Amino acid sequence: MKAIIVEHKQPEQANGLTLTELPAPIPAEGELLVKVRAAAVNRTDIVTREGQSGYAVNPVLGVEIAGVVEQADGNSGFAPGDRVMGLVNGGGYAEYAVMPAERAMKIPDAYSFAEAAAVPEVFLTAYQTLYWIGRLQPHESVLIHAGASGVGTAAIQLAKTLSRAQVIVTAGSEEKLDFCRNLGADVGINYKTQSFEQEVLQATDGQGVDLILDFVGADYWDKNLASIKKEGRWVLIGILGGVQVEQVNLFALMSKCVQLTGTLLTPRSDAYKARLTADFVSEVFPRIERGEIKPIVDTVFPLEQAIEAQRHMEENRNIGKIILQVGKED
Amino acid sequence: MKAIIVEHKQPEQANGLTLTELPAPIPAEGELLVKVRAAAVNRTDIVTREGQSGYAVNPVLGVEIAGVVEQADGNSGFAPGDRVMGLVNGGGYAEYAVMPAERAMKIPDAYSFAEAAAVPEVFLTAYQTLYWIGRLQPHESVLIHAGASGVGTAAIQLAKTLSRAQVIVTAGSEEKLDFCRNLGADVGINYKTQSFEQEVLQATDGQGVDLILDFVGADYWDKNLASIKKEGRWVLIGILGGVQVEQVNLFALMSKCVQLTGTLLTPRSDAYKARLTADFVSEVFPRIERGEIKPIVDTVFPLEQAIEAQRHMEENRNIGKIILQVGKED
């Protein structure tokens, strides 16, 4: 089968991606073999390409797919021909991939494979960070950085639909902010022209937000601390703005009684991902099937153009998800 | 009444304490007037003396007392003559103090006032950090820094008695470590002669601990991160080792999925303290009354020697609580 692996270049050059020919993976017990029709691009793939993740074991990139079941155990709940989407332990940028059956989700009939591939990682991450980690309560306020990103667009929809939360987003252009407002965001802040912590305090009567979904990290450290309510929760899920914070004042965390949780979804255990998927399906799927929540696809690239797809993400040009189409169109 | 207030010295000198004469406080609705028999010394008092807490409004120091009810509302559940202990919003270092009735606890018959004054702040803090914030589960492992401190000695007992946890403590002398072991600690680490993160990993099969109670802060940042289990909880509750961390690597928090919560008890709301007290009384009081859990009194100073009592704490000479006796002995 065709598959995309990392092309290790000379030390002074950035690694690239290579389309290669590999044997199709063999499903272990409890796994489905899936003919991949679409895979989505995630920042974790870029980190892996750069050789920095430290946890990727599968040489083939890609952590989520949508496709058709090719082979399934009798007691898996799935049968050949079923359209499924879900997280995989690497191996998504390929014609075939294996997926633990307990984290496979049936694709809603109305969805194309590209739309389906845009669901798992960002919606599961948004659900996990807003609810499992962030414990968002009805009508609370949440600050979502990178509001037009894949996880951002998913989080806006979940926070509005499930919790009627006050949703405040940051993004770097008016186009992105308009998109977020159309998805339901109450307040859009252009981080290039506005001071977001001042806008957040103004939008929350000087209290700050109950919850922050932070994809930015170091650059926003002090501003996030200024934007969070006393006893607020702060979920650190990305480091677009740098990994190293200089001079962290611990008393500020203590006197505001802040809870800061670092998280990544990809390195979590199989059991965790299965529980998260099951909870997501039970809480959110009815709303997905009713069309109240929808995946946001930015661009579809053919599998062969995986490096161009990653560059599109690295340049922050996308609103929503970047998809790799595998094989012929839907 | 006699009371201890902060004596503001010249800018270049450390503030001192002054014994002064003030009118007794007048209880508001829902408050008890208590004749103070013992007050305990806490680090928050020292921070307030230094003018750095930013939240103390009562000019009289002291956040916990034991004494006798002098005046009570009919529907408060208390009557004049009752022996009570509990948290106060400042005003503890004095002959009379007011205490919200909903956070007053009846003193067990077997306890002296000095023992009773050694209960509220450290046991409520240990209970709050281990259970409300740290969510300690049965048989989990917990690393307690400053194991011989007031909160440390309370936390060792609670973690062993309520959760049969694996308790690992650090302290700076063999005498303190022996004391901790006698209270139930499984592993004692002398931070002056041992590398605590290596000892923690050895005691936990290389996994690290589920929970850290951290009173140290900056100096232990990297070592705590090395000592915590994946998905572990880290409760930051003191800054004995400095407030400023020079460099924080956020990816380390993310890849280990660490939850870090800063907390202080004193600036929490009245409602929070009342709920915490009620939960503590229901979960822990039966064990206190059966003698399974006991307050640890280090030294009793007369009220007039409040500054000497604070210095004793600043020099880390105590094992357990430092008490101020108000009026004549029990």
Side-chain angles (χ1 to χ4, degrees):
Chain A
M1 66 172 188
K2 289 181 188 159
I4 299 279
I5 60 171
V6 177
E7 172 193 9
H8 292 278
K9 296 199 179 167
Q10 296 300 317
E12 68 275 14
Q13 293 179 289
N15 289 337
L17 297 176
T18 301
L19 184 72
T20 188
E21 197 62 41
L22 288 176
I26 297 164
E29 200 181 327
E31 288 184 334
L32 310 173
L33 178 65
V34 179
K35 182 168 168 56
V36 181
R37 299 295 305 278
V41 176
N42 286 282
R43 287 196 187 267
T44 187
D45 306 340
I46 297 171
V47 175
T48 300
R49 188 192 82 216
E50 291 168 343
Q52 290 172 16
S53 85
Y55 48 73
V57 286
N58 195 320
V60 178
L61 292 186
V63 299
E64 61 181 333
I65 59 166
V68 179
V69 174
E70 182 89 6
Q71 192 182 318
D73 279 349
N75 56 3
S76 67
F78 293 92
D82 284 349
R83 285 163 28 107
V84 293
M85 60 188 182
L87 300 176
V88 293
N89 294 334
Y93 291 18
E95 291 182 301
Y96 290 91
V98 291
M99 181 191 295
E102 59 182 3
R103 67 169 94 143
M105 297 179 274
K106 296 219 175 191
I107 297 177
D109 290 341
Y111 282 16
S112 68
F113 287 111
E115 287 169 325
V119 170
E121 180 77 11
V122 296
F123 276 91
L124 289 170
T125 297
Y127 185 76
Q128 172 209 24
T129 50
L130 288 173
Y131 295 100
W132 279 28
I133 299 174
R135 303 187 319 285
L136 182 67
Q137 302 298 311
H139 303 289
E140 282 193 334
S141 53
V142 55
L143 171 61
I144 301 171
H145 289 303
S149 67
V151 181
T153 52
I156 292 168
Q157 296 183 75
L158 292 179
K160 288 309 292 185
T161 311
L162 301 185
S163 308
R164 305 281 161 216
Q166 181 190 23
V167 174
I168 305 173
V169 301
T170 66
S173 75
E174 287 309 311
E175 183 200 359
K176 288 182 174 178
L177 289 170
D178 283 341
F179 196 91
C180 293
R181 288 189 196 98
N182 284 335
L183 285 177
D186 300 285
V187 180
I189 305 171
N190 187 328
Y191 66 80
K192 292 185 176 165
T193 60
Q194 294 176 285
S195 166
F196 83 75
E197 73 279 24
Q198 289 175 16
E199 300 296 323
V200 167
L201 290 175
Q202 196 174 345
T204 57
D205 295 329
Q207 299 289 299
V209 289
D210 296 291
L211 176 61
I212 299 177
L213 293 199
D214 179 14
F215 307 90
V216 177
D219 282 356
Y220 281 2
W221 184 267
D222 290 328
K223 293 176 180 179
N224 279 328
L225 208 44
S227 302
I228 199 166
K229 190 186 280 186
K230 208 178 150 193
E231 300 180 33
R233 292 93 62 197
W234 174 358
V235 181
L236 176 67
I237 193 180
I239 44 175
L240 296 176
V243 66
Q244 201 85 340
V245 192
E246 313 286 332
Q247 303 292 328
V248 168
N249 183 312
L250 298 177
F251 194 72
L253 291 173
M254 290 166 66
S255 58
K256 266 194 150 174
C257 300
V258 168
Q259 181 185 88
L260 171 70
T261 308
T263 182
L264 289 172
L265 183 51
T266 303
R268 298 271 186 177
S269 70
D270 285 355
Y272 185 100
K273 287 172 184 166
R275 284 200 310 276
L276 178 62
T277 301
D279 191 34
F280 174 78
V281 166
S282 115
E283 294 295 318
V284 183
F285 243 58
R287 293 173 186 276
I288 285 187
E289 287 176 338
R290 290 201 297 270
E292 294 171 24
I293 289 174
K294 58 189 185 212
I296 310 297
V297 174
D298 177 81
T299 319
V300 180
F301 290 84
L303 177 66
E304 293 74 12
Q305 291 178 23
I307 190 71
E308 286 78 6
Q310 290 195 351
R311 296 238 169 83
H312 192 69
M313 176 173 276
E314 288 176 272
E315 290 160 7
N316 297 320
R317 293 213 300 238
N318 57 306
I319 292 181
K321 295 288 288 183
I322 299 165
I323 304 296
L324 299 175
Q325 182 189 303
V326 184
K328 62 183 188 304
E329 263 185 90
D330 278 352
Chain B
M1 66 170 190
K2 288 181 190 159
I4 299 279
I5 60 171
V6 177
E7 173 193 9
H8 292 278
K9 297 199 177 166
Q10 297 300 317
E12 68 276 12
Q13 291 180 291
N15 290 337
L17 297 176
T18 302
L19 184 71
T20 188
E21 196 62 40
L22 288 176
I26 296 165
E29 200 182 325
E31 288 184 336
L32 309 174
L33 178 66
V34 179
K35 183 168 167 55
V36 180
R37 299 296 305 278
V41 176
N42 286 282
R43 288 195 187 266
T44 188
D45 307 339
I46 297 171
V47 175
T48 300
R49 189 191 83 215
E50 292 169 343
Q52 290 173 16
S53 85
Y55 48 73
V57 286
N58 195 320
V60 178
L61 291 187
V63 298
E64 62 181 332
I65 60 166
V68 179
V69 174
E70 182 91 6
Q71 193 182 318
D73 279 350
N75 56 2
S76 68
F78 293 92
D82 283 350
R83 286 167 24 111
V84 294
M85 60 189 182
L87 300 177
V88 293
N89 294 334
Y93 292 17
E95 290 182 302
Y96 290 91
V98 291
M99 181 190 296
E102 59 182 3
R103 68 169 93 143
M105 297 179 273
K106 296 221 174 188
I107 298 177
D109 291 341
Y111 282 16
S112 68
F113 288 111
E115 287 170 325
V119 170
E121 180 77 11
V122 295
F123 275 92
L124 288 170
T125 297
Y127 185 75
Q128 173 209 23
T129 50
L130 287 172
Y131 295 100
W132 278 28
I133 299 174
R135 303 188 319 284
L136 182 66
Q137 303 298 311
H139 304 289
E140 282 193 334
S141 53
V142 55
L143 172 62
I144 301 171
H145 290 303
S149 67
V151 180
T153 54
I156 293 167
Q157 295 182 74
L158 292 178
K160 289 308 292 185
T161 310
L162 300 185
S163 308
R164 306 279 161 218
Q166 181 191 22
V167 174
I168 304 173
V169 301
T170 67
S173 75
E174 287 309 311
E175 183 200 359
K176 288 182 175 180
L177 289 170
D178 283 342
F179 196 92
C180 294
R181 289 190 196 99
N182 284 336
L183 285 177
D186 299 286
V187 179
I189 305 170
N190 187 329
Y191 66 80
K192 292 185 176 165
T193 60
Q194 295 176 284
S195 165
F196 82 76
E197 73 279 23
Q198 289 176 16
E199 300 295 324
V200 167
L201 290 174
Q202 196 173 345
T204 56
D205 295 328
Q207 299 290 299
V209 290
D210 296 291
L211 176 61
I212 299 178
L213 294 198
D214 179 13
F215 308 91
V216 177
D219 282 356
Y220 281 3
W221 184 268
D222 290 327
K223 293 176 180 178
N224 278 329
L225 209 42
S227 301
I228 199 165
K229 191 186 280 188
K230 208 177 150 193
E231 300 180 34
R233 290 93 62 197
W234 174 357
V235 182
L236 175 66
I237 192 181
I239 44 174
L240 297 176
V243 66
Q244 201 86 337
V245 188
E246 294 299 318
Q247 291 212 321
V248 169
N249 182 310
L250 298 177
F251 195 71
L253 290 174
M254 289 166 65
S255 59
K256 265 191 151 176
C257 300
V258 168
Q259 181 185 87
L260 172 70
T261 309
T263 182
L264 290 172
L265 184 51
T266 302
R268 298 271 186 178
S269 70
D270 284 355
Y272 184 100
K273 287 172 185 167
R275 284 200 310 275
L276 179 62
T277 301
D279 191 34
F280 174 78
V281 165
S282 114
E283 294 296 316
V284 183
F285 243 58
R287 293 173 186 275
I288 285 187
E289 286 175 339
R290 289 201 297 270
E292 295 171 23
I293 289 174
K294 57 187 188 217
I296 310 297
V297 174
D298 176 83
T299 320
V300 180
F301 290 85
L303 177 66
E304 293 74 11
Q305 291 178 24
I307 189 69
E308 286 79 6
Q310 291 195 350
R311 295 237 170 82
H312 192 69
M313 177 173 275
E314 289 177 272
E315 290 160 6
N316 297 321
R317 293 214 299 238
N318 57 307
I319 292 180
K321 295 288 288 183
I322 300 165
I323 304 296
L324 299 175
Q325 183 190 303
V326 184
K328 62 182 189 305
E329 262 185 89
D330 278 352

